[in-house]
Amino acid sequence: FHSPYGCSKGCGDQYVRDYHRIYGLPTVVFRQSCIYGPRQFGVEDQGWVAWFIIAAVSGKPMTIYGDGKQVRDILFVDDLLNAYDAAIEHVDIAAGNVYNVGGGPQNVISVWNEFGPLLEKLTGHPLAVQLGDWRPGDQRVFISDIHKAGLELGWKPQVDAEEGIERLFKWVSKNHTLFE
């Protein structure tokens, strides 16, 4: 609850939990971190991993807000789908619960200081970026504690950050005309 956006998500979480508690619906809350993967049409404000790859491939301008050292965990979409399957498979345990679903500590990357050089390696050339002011409510570090999902659902990410970024880069490059 660090911003109006975060508050709106928290409100939704509470509605879902209350529907379980009051009406017995087998609801599950997933507090998802930075999800990315093929077929994601990221834009500057949402889907930052996809957005930077799309911008790099299509030559669009990129802005780094803050110092680029912000830390996020990232989760490849295939791993998110596996988490959904695990919750369904273990709905007797999962119903009424809240799970942090993100890349966790093993899939942490800085928004530009680490991601930028990786993207430059994939494109084969330096990338120009503009710097912008910090955005209100932006957290410097966010890493999901995915321990509960591992214990109760037997789930953990399988695709590491570098492999997932490379897979998304290849998809965007192959489908670059979708972003023109």
Side-chain angles (χ1 to χ4, degrees), residues 6 12 14 28 49 57 82 100 131 134 159 165 178:
Q14 192 59 48
V28 180
V49 175
V57 168
N82 290 338
N100 296 326
L131 294 179
W134 284 93
V159 179
I165 290 167
L178 296 172

Side-chain angles (χ1 to χ4, degrees), residues 65-72 109-111 134 138-140:
Y65 296 96
D67 59 12
K69 296 179 183 178
Q70 302 92 310
V71 174
R72 301 289 183 267
I109 192 165
S110 75
V111 169
W134 284 93
D138 195 11
Q139 295 175 278
R140 292 189 186 263

Side-chain angles (χ1 to χ4, degrees), residues 77-91:
V77 67
D78 292 357
D79 287 325
L80 176 62
L81 297 175
N82 290 338
Y84 291 159
D85 289 342
I88 292 167
E89 183 179 330
H90 301 286
V91 72

Side-chain angles (χ1 to χ4, degrees), residues 45-163:
D45 288 342
Q46 284 288 339
W48 67 271
V49 175
W51 166 247
F52 282 135
I53 292 172
I54 291 165
V57 168
S58 56
K60 296 179 181 174
M62 292 183 275
T63 302
I64 306 303
Y65 296 96
D67 59 12
K69 296 179 183 178
Q70 302 92 310
V71 174
R72 301 289 183 267
D73 70 14
I74 60 176
L75 183 69
F76 195 70
V77 67
D78 292 357
D79 287 325
L80 176 62
L81 297 175
N82 290 338
Y84 291 159
D85 289 342
I88 292 167
E89 183 179 330
H90 301 286
V91 72
D92 54 320
I93 296 167
N97 276 297
V98 176
Y99 297 95
N100 296 326
V101 178
Q106 68 271 27
N107 288 298
V108 170
I109 192 165
S110 75
V111 169
W112 193 251
N113 280 20
E114 293 174 319
F115 183 61
L118 181 56
L119 193 50
E120 287 178 341
K121 179 180 157 192
L122 291 168
T123 62
H125 58 80
L127 297 167
V129 296
Q130 307 176 78
L131 294 179
D133 291 336
W134 284 93
R135 293 191 269 191
D138 195 11
Q139 295 175 278
R140 292 189 186 263
V141 176
F142 183 85
I143 303 168
S144 301
D145 179 355
I146 60 173
H147 185 74
K148 181 178 176 183
L151 281 177
E152 294 183 6
L153 307 178
W155 173 84
K156 70 177 184 174
Q158 301 299 309
V159 179
D160 70 38
E162 193 165 337
E163 176 190 345

